[in-house]
């Protein structure tokens, strides 16, 4: 009869209800998992916010920091310190020094963190400075091999420096983990111990963010690390030179030395109708130094090689650095002064440069 439902009419609704029930359960499971993940992420975010309440602006907590072992510590440079001009200047001075020392080995360092961490550059530098050959493999690719080389190099360095009162602010782990502050500390110590012919920038310091884990909670603090002091204090570890003694204890004789140097430079610069009356200021832009070297070595320096009328600090530094190159080409040792010191009217630096010329060319006509 027409009122009686057939089997074909009743089966589809039953099947649809089963499908709807299955999809509903599946959907509910997915929603619960999503909510569970959101809760977990929120909990982790909250934990990090509680664990690191006082981090300096711009400093990130990395995932590995939250996995630190109890009582462990980590250090990172505060981002503004990394960008500090004096800190960058110190790195450049150290890089130029390393490249000068290792020129014969055809080693070129561009980045202290990336080029010094595996021990290869540090080994070559120490061997060159100390005259000692270390018993290490020349090339090591594996982490274990690199750390073994670093261990040998640092043992030799520490053995040399420790008796002289150095605080050893470096280790195999800090160097190999590319800790820039530890690398700089080590290089500054080597440069000072071996009396490198460079001038380290004075009063360079950096701020470090210290991350510690105590009772499962990350604690942070900011500490300041002093990398260099004054030139006088840094030189104080060694025998002070004649100009230090002259300026400190015999200022009356300083004028005699200045007069002798002025007479010497004017003897040659007068050939170009130039005359010097003030040593500190008139050599600060490097122009007179370049012209003087040309006169002493009897050649013409092309004007396109330097700035005849330098307009800013960088151009003056370029000129003085170029004059230093001409001195080395003439067989002189690289001046101990830094070009920046001459440009900044540092009297001792200028005197050292001119006195070096005087002792080598005093009999030149």
């Amino acid at each position: 009869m027409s009122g009686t439902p057939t089997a074909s009419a009743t089966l589809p609704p039953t099947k649809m209800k089963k499908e709807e029930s299955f999809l509903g359960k599946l959907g509910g499971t997915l929603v619960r998992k999503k909510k569970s993940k959101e809760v977990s992420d929120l909990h982790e975010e909250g934990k990090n916010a509680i664990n690191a309440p006082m981090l300096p602006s711009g400093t990130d907590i990395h995932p590995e920091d939250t996995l630190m072992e109890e009582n462990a510590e980590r250090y990172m440079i505060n981002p503004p310190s990394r960008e500090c001009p004096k800190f960058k200047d110190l790195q450049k001075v150290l890089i130029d020094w390393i490249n000068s020392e290792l020129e014969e080995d055809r080693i070129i360092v561009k980045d202290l963190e990336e080029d010094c961490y595996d021990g290869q550059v540090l080994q070559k530098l120490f061997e060159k400075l100390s005259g000692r050959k270390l018993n290490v493999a020349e090339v090591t690719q594996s982490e274990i091999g690199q750390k073994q080389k670093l261990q040998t190099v640092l043992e030799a360095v520490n053995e040399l420096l420790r008796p002289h009162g150095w605080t050893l602010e470096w280790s195999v782990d800090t160097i190999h983990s590319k800790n820039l502050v530890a690398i700089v500390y080590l290089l500054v110590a080597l440069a000072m111990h071996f009396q490198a012919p460079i001038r380290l920038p004075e009063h360079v310091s950096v701020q470090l963010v210290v991350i510690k884990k105590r009772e499962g909670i990350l604690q942070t603090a900011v500490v300041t690390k002093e990398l260099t002091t004054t030139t006088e204090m840094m030189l104080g570890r060694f025998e002070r030179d004649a100009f230090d003694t002259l300026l400190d204890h015999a200022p009356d004789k300083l004028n005699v030395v200045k007069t002798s140097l002025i007479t010497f430079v004017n003897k040659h610069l007068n050939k170009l109708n130039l005359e010097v009356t003030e040593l500190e200021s008139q050599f600060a832009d490097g122009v007179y130094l370049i012209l003087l070297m040309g006169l002493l070595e009897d050649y013409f320096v092309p004007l396109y090689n330097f700035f005849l009328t330098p307009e800013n600090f960088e151009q003056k530094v370029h000129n003085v650095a170029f004059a230093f190159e001409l001195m080395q080409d003439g067989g002189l040792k690289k001046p101990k002064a830094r070009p920046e010191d001459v440009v900044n009217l540092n009297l001792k630096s200028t005197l050292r440069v001119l006195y070096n010329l005087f002792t080598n060319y005093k009999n030149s006509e």
Side-chain angles (χ1 to χ4, degrees):
M1 292 186 299
S2 61
T4 304
T6 62
S8 60
T10 57
L11 283 175
T14 305
K15 185 178 180 182
M16 285 174 63
K17 284 181 182 178
K18 285 183 180 179
E19 289 175 350
E20 287 172 359
S21 175
F22 172 74
L23 290 173
K25 288 179 181 178
L26 178 61
T29 302
L30 292 174
V31 169
R32 282 195 298 275
K33 284 186 177 180
K34 183 178 179 182
K35 286 184 177 179
S36 175
K37 186 177 185 304
E38 288 174 351
V39 170
S40 175
D41 290 345
L42 187 62
H43 174 72
E44 187 66 26
E45 184 179 344
K47 185 176 75 171
N48 288 343
I50 294 170
N51 283 352
M54 298 299 291
L55 271 180
S57 175
T59 304
D60 297 322
I61 284 283
H62 300 288
E64 60 266 25
D65 295 327
T66 60
L67 301 176
M68 288 169 58
E69 295 181 2
E70 185 67 18
N71 297 319
E73 294 184 0
R74 272 209 182 92
Y75 299 85
M76 65 179 74
I77 301 177
N78 204 8
S81 284
R82 186 178 281 273
E83 298 303 315
C84 173
K86 291 178 73 172
F87 184 45
K88 286 188 170 183
D89 187 23
L90 175 59
Q91 293 176 67
K92 183 180 184 303
V93 170
L94 293 172
I95 287 173
D96 290 345
W97 169 56
I98 295 171
N99 288 336
S100 175
E101 291 290 345
L102 301 183
E103 186 177 7
E104 293 180 1
D105 294 291
R106 298 183 179 180
I107 290 176
I108 299 177
V109 171
K110 296 181 179 180
D111 183 280
L112 293 180
E113 291 169 289
E114 295 299 328
D115 296 333
C116 293
Y117 81 95
D118 62 359
Q120 182 76 8
V121 169
L122 293 177
Q123 172 214 338
K124 293 293 185 183
L125 181 63
F126 180 78
E127 289 180 340
K128 173 71 184 301
L129 296 173
S130 66
R132 289 176 52 189
K133 182 71 176 174
L134 298 178
N135 184 23
V136 292
E138 281 300 313
V139 180
T140 51
Q141 298 293 338
S142 68
E143 179 178 337
I144 294 176
Q146 291 170 354
K147 287 189 172 183
Q148 286 175 341
K149 172 178 279 193
L150 270 175
Q151 182 72 35
T152 302
V153 173
L154 294 186
E155 282 178 358
V157 170
N158 297 346
E159 179 184 335
L160 185 71
L161 297 181
R162 190 180 285 111
H164 295 276
W166 286 99
T167 302
L168 308 181
E169 299 275 0
W170 53 82
S171 66
V172 171
D173 288 335
T174 55
I175 299 293
H176 194 266
S177 64
K178 304 180 183 180
N179 183 315
L180 181 57
V181 173
I183 293 171
V184 169
Y185 261 127
L186 174 59
L187 293 173
V188 167
L190 288 173
M192 290 172 61
H193 180 82
F194 287 102
Q195 302 182 51
I198 58 176
R199 287 279 156 181
L200 298 171
E202 297 182 320
H203 298 298
V204 180
S205 61
V206 293
Q207 286 191 328
L208 292 182
V209 180
V210 185
I211 304 172
K212 305 177 183 179
K213 193 165 191 178
R214 298 290 185 269
E215 297 180 358
I217 296 177
L218 294 183
Q219 301 174 353
T220 62
V222 177
V223 297
T224 300
K225 289 284 188 180
E226 188 179 55
L227 299 173
T228 66
T229 55
T230 64
T231 299
E232 284 71 19
M233 289 182 68
M234 288 187 283
L235 286 174
R237 286 180 173 270
F238 319 111
E239 183 180 352
R240 289 159 62 80
D241 67 15
F243 286 107
D244 290 308
T245 305
L246 191 67
L247 285 166
D248 293 344
H249 304 294
D252 54 317
K253 295 182 181 178
L254 178 62
N255 287 330
V256 176
V257 174
K258 290 171 69 174
T259 300
S260 298
L261 292 177
I262 287 175
T263 302
F264 163 71
V265 298
N266 281 335
K267 173 185 173 183
H268 299 281
L269 289 176
N270 286 165
K271 299 171 186 175
L272 298 176
N273 294 321
L274 300 172
E275 186 167 357
V276 169
T277 56
E278 288 290 333
L279 294 179
E280 301 98 310
S281 58
Q282 288 183 269
F283 285 96
D285 64 5
V287 175
Y288 278 15
L289 274 179
I290 293 170
L291 297 177
L292 181 59
M293 278 307 303
L295 291 165
L296 294 172
E297 286 289 330
D298 196 24
Y299 56 69
F300 175 75
V301 182
L303 297 181
Y304 58 77
N305 280 334
F306 65 100
F307 298 96
L308 189 59
T309 55
E311 298 177 352
N312 53 45
F313 182 81
E314 287 73 21
Q315 291 181 356
K316 293 176 183 179
V317 170
H318 168 87
N319 281 355
V320 177
F322 178 58
F324 285 5
E325 290 178 17
L326 297 179
M327 293 174 197
Q328 291 175 270
D329 290 344
L332 279 68
K333 289 184 178 181
K334 184 177 181 179
K336 288 187 176 183
R338 298 167 58 237
E340 292 84 356
D341 293 333
V342 175
V343 175
N344 285 326
L345 309 179
N346 183 298
L347 177 59
K348 276 192 288 188
S349 296
T350 305
L351 288 178
R352 285 186 177 97
V353 172
L354 294 176
Y355 189 75
N356 193 30
L357 295 178
F358 173 75
T359 56
N360 283 274
Y361 296 101
K362 59 186 175 184
N363 296 321
S364 297
E365 295 298 327

